[in-house]
Amino acid sequence: MKCAERTGDYTERETVDFVRPEVRSRLGSREASAVHLRNTYSRSLETFVPLTPGRVTMYTCGPTVYSFAHIGNFRSFLFADVLRRVLERRGLVVHQVMNITDVGHMTEDHLADATGEDKLAKAARELGSDPFAVAAHFESEFVRDATSLRLRIYQGGEANDRALHPRATEYVPQMLVMVKRLVDRGFAYLDTSGQVYFEIAKFPGYGALSGKQIDQLESGARVAVREEKRDPRDFALWKVDAKHLMQWDASEVGFGRGFPGWHIECSAMAKALLGDTIDIHTGGDDNIFPHHECELAQSCCADDITTPAPDGGAPRVTFARYWIHGRHLLVDGKKMSKRDGTFFTVRDLLVPSGDVAKKLATEGFTSGVPAAVLRLALISSHHGHQLNFTFDLLAQASATVTRLQSLYDRLRETAGDGPVAIEGLLAEHLSRFDAALDDDLDMPNALAAVIALVKALNVQQLGPGDSRAALAALEGIDHVLDVLDRSPRSGKVATARIAELADGDADALLAGELDATAIERLVGLRQAAKKRKDFTAADQIRSGLRARGIELEDVADGVRWKRS
Ligand SMILES: [Zn+2]
């Protein structure tokens, strides 16, 4: 495979270019074990200190589920995922919430008082469906992509915890309470239709996050500014539009029948699930204005929020203490474009077809891009810099994953008890890895440290104890990267157990993820087929496994399996 032959040293090349002089000088005098993050709010690098020692609250603006999420969306979700994992590596417990927007996100969302059509309603019209069905469909497709790309919030018990994946439509009562509070406190007002606006003149902090001057803001007057707005730049908290397909009764709080604005959704969900003040709020740079600026205004005015500045300065009016944003992604140096064939969803790359499949095949991806490779490619550059996504980047990421995986497999085979002579070598590389990540998630330098470690270990004579120690180091690194296949490479099913494993549909098992459990069930099904003398079915299972790189061997006391 062409891509596997590359050296994968792109991270080392980037190191030279990437390390900015101010970062270089800081590296010499860094505080031990402290994560530093560039806070959009202060526009400076700050030491991360959670409000509650040992625990972090984190809100990640999630997808609007009107279509498949594209790789640019996932770049943003993945940098938040890496940030979370880095904090966990530092021993912090992270309570992350990532919402699902299923109403109220308008097509013209560059204005605070967004105009246009609800993205869900538009998709429903185009698909000839209803918006709730569209949202449910694309939410489940999103979950599938997020699971493939190993977002931690979609792993284990967190995956099914609704309180970590709130849908906006399920928090309308909380939104109405918050909007009512803003009205009662004099920060918001109603028009005659019962639509509610936030009055920006009442909040002097408006513009502080994005750095926009209030008097330079676009008013949105292009179409027709509703005459009853006190200031054309005021934005709707609660919208009244008889034509909208999703409506909620709001008579209890005195508003018209309508639906929430996109911004109030995140304010209300963050408050309901994480409290008034949260540690970290993440999103893409296109969220800074208007979405996060408006969230900040609403949350602070509803609850008089001021928080201590992270570095001991004057208190700030900001409900999220650290606002961290990822830059957007380019493809082949340009904005993603459907017309140019440079617009990719996750599945366009994992399960490609047509021209994309042909182009990927020339880079060595004959059966699509492995999810771990796409994950690494999307996290490989600094989140604060534009990522230029190319097929060459995928090939380089593939080479890196291959090198890491083959070292990991070798270490796993040779690990055992014994003295450890490589402690110094491991410590040196791990401290480079951690120092880079602590420095505002400097992923290029972190990856350079990983590649250097792989090189160093590949030329060492490793005893069993060394292998065990190196394995632990690699697993620690992979807590952040999560690109390794850590499922067992081989196993044995004892004769006594085989009969009870004959459960399931062989074709479905062979089409799905072949973890150790699935393989054992297939071994059981094959044995059952042999017993009833259905040798065709038994052979089909064996060849199906072989096609997926798994060999079976019948031995005296059972069946052995091994991945090639
Ligand atoms: Zn949001």
Side-chain angles (χ1 to χ4, degrees):
M1 201 162 87
K2 188 178 161 207
C3 56
E5 288 161 15
R6 298 182 189 228
T7 59
D9 62 357
Y10 63 113
T11 50
E12 285 144 302
R13 267 204 326 265
E14 275 189 32
T15 310
V16 179
D17 301 327
F18 181 77
V19 181
R20 294 152 286 157
E22 75 272 18
V23 174
R24 240 187 239 121
S25 64
R26 232 184 17 246
L27 280 170
S29 60
R30 73 169 29 261
E31 274 175 62
S33 300
V35 178
H36 297 77
L37 298 169
R38 186 181 184 279
N39 190 342
T40 308
Y41 186 86
S42 66
R43 291 156 191 75
S44 59
L45 201 71
E46 294 176 344
T47 308
F48 178 72
V49 185
L51 205 54
T52 307
R55 304 189 72 83
V56 180
T57 50
M58 178 171 176
Y59 188 90
T60 298
C61 272
T64 301
V65 284
Y66 66 102
S67 66
F68 296 112
H70 57 65
I71 56 172
N73 301 134
F74 268 101
R75 187 202 185 197
S76 172
F77 304 141
L78 281 167
F79 104 75
D81 183 65
V82 167
L83 169 56
R84 172 197 172 150
R85 289 162 176 269
V86 167
L87 297 173
E88 287 174 338
R89 186 166 158 79
R90 282 274 162 242
L92 296 160
V93 175
V94 182
H95 182 175
Q96 184 186 13
V97 167
M98 182 163 137
N99 70 291
I100 301 282
T101 297
D102 53 0
V103 65
H105 189 168
M106 311 305 276
T107 48
E108 302 292 313
D109 62 3
H110 66 291
L111 298 171
D113 194 23
T115 53
E117 194 176 357
D118 190 312
K119 292 188 178 193
L120 262 309
K122 182 168 183 265
R125 183 167 51 74
E126 288 167 357
L127 297 169
S129 180
D130 82 89
F132 289 99
V134 169
H137 171 70
F138 285 114
E139 181 187 329
S140 68
E141 296 298 331
F142 172 78
V143 171
R144 198 198 301 206
D145 290 343
T147 309
S148 302
L149 291 178
R150 304 187 189 176
L151 264 67
R152 236 169 107 52
I153 198 165
Y154 282 101
Q155 291 179 340
E158 292 196 25
N160 299 312
D161 187 343
R162 294 303 315 166
L164 303 180
H165 308 276
R167 294 186 188 107
T169 48
E170 292 170 351
Y171 285 79
V172 174
Q174 289 88 336
M175 294 167 202
L176 285 169
V177 167
M178 195 176 228
V179 177
K180 178 74 168 59
R181 231 175 122 64
L182 287 165
V183 173
D184 291 346
R185 306 185 91 219
F187 292 103
Y189 60 93
L190 278 75
D191 70 9
T192 46
S193 73
Q195 174 147 316
V196 189
Y197 293 100
F198 184 90
E199 188 169 4
I200 61 163
K202 294 276 175 67
F203 180 55
Y206 194 74
L209 178 68
S210 59
K212 289 194 186 287
Q213 304 292 323
I214 291 193
D215 51 5
Q216 288 166 5
L217 288 179
E218 236 185 297
S219 68
R222 268 182 317 128
V223 191
V225 171
R226 286 166 90 118
E227 281 174 17
E228 294 175 82
K229 273 168 85 167
R230 291 180 189 165
D231 183 313
R233 295 159 302 187
D234 291 349
F235 60 90
L237 298 166
W238 183 256
K239 293 174 182 248
V240 172
D241 175 357
K243 295 193 298 297
H244 198 269
L245 297 170
M246 291 184 267
Q247 304 266 357
W248 284 264
D249 178 64
S251 53
E252 206 173 309
V253 285
F255 309 160
R257 187 173 163 75
F259 64 100
W262 175 35
H263 317 311
I264 197 71
E265 296 175 0
C266 286
S267 283
M269 288 185 279
K271 179 183 166 74
L273 298 166
L274 295 171
D276 287 349
T277 303
I278 58 177
D279 286 310
I280 300 175
H281 196 314
T282 71
D285 58 355
D286 56 338
N287 289 149
I288 299 173
F289 188 88
H291 187 49
H292 290 168
E293 192 75 67
C294 296
E295 273 186 44
L296 188 163
Q298 298 156 167
S299 295
C300 290
C301 295
D303 290 297
D304 270 340
I305 296 169
T306 54
T307 61
D311 288 338
R316 295 167 173 179
V317 182
T318 166
F319 89 107
R321 300 171 61 243
Y322 300 84
W323 290 90
I324 317 291
H325 292 98
R327 283 293 294 281
H328 57 277
L329 164 151
L330 301 176
V331 174
D332 293 337
K334 286 187 286 198
K335 208 169 167 247
M336 281 205 292
S337 143
K338 283 188 176 155
R339 208 181 47 198
D340 296 346
T342 55
F343 182 97
F344 299 117
T345 63
V346 169
R347 58 204 57 216
D348 286 341
L349 298 166
L350 301 194
V351 206
S353 60
D355 284 351
V356 178
K358 275 187 217 147
K359 215 173 148 204
L360 281 170
T362 65
E363 290 287 350
F365 298 106
T366 47
S367 51
V369 180
V373 169
L374 182 56
R375 177 179 165 91
L376 184 65
L378 290 174
I379 65 173
S380 62
S381 69
H382 190 282
H383 68 278
H385 291 207
Q386 275 179 341
L387 165 68
N388 186 23
F389 183 87
T390 61
F391 283 12
D392 190 50
L393 174 72
L394 284 175
Q396 292 169 51
S398 173
T400 303
V401 171
T402 303
R403 291 177 80 185
L404 277 169
Q405 186 70 49
S406 55
L407 174 64
Y408 179 76
D409 292 342
R410 185 161 63 84
L411 292 173
R412 198 155 56 166
E413 270 172 29
T414 53
D417 292 333
V420 181
I422 56 166
E423 266 163 351
L425 181 144
L426 293 175
E428 181 202 325
H429 289 85
L430 286 178
S431 84
R432 266 185 71 195
F433 175 72
D434 286 325
L437 290 173
D438 287 354
D439 192 10
D440 197 26
L441 308 183
D442 181 352
M443 189 54 94
N445 271 324
L447 286 174
V450 175
I451 301 285
L453 175 63
V454 172
K455 280 185 179 164
L457 289 172
N458 279 341
V459 297
Q460 289 275 328
Q461 284 288 354
L462 301 176
D466 294 322
S467 291
R468 200 187 62 229
L471 192 62
L474 219 52
E475 284 176 346
I477 287 169
D478 200 50
H479 178 77
V480 175
L481 303 182
D482 206 352
V483 296
L484 289 175
D485 175 2
R486 298 204 225 169
S487 58
R489 307 300 295 166
S490 61
K492 193 179 91 176
V493 193
T495 309
R497 279 186 64 226
I498 290 181
E500 67 201 50
L501 288 165
D503 169 36
D505 170 353
D507 289 341
L509 285 167
L510 283 167
E513 194 190 337
L514 287 178
D515 57 12
T517 313
I519 295 168
E520 291 189 347
R521 283 167 68 191
L522 284 160
V523 167
L525 286 166
R526 173 173 166 261
Q527 209 63 19
K530 276 165 82 174
K531 218 169 159 184
R532 61 172 192 270
K533 303 210 183 311
D534 185 351
F535 298 110
T536 315
D539 282 349
Q540 273 170 355
I541 292 173
R542 180 179 214 135
S543 55
L545 281 168
R546 185 171 288 156
R548 299 281 302 272
I550 297 152
E551 288 293 341
L552 300 185
E553 185 194 351
D554 294 305
V555 291
D557 52 349
V559 177
R560 275 185 199 285
W561 61 268
K562 193 171 189 287
R563 293 179 202 273
S564 56

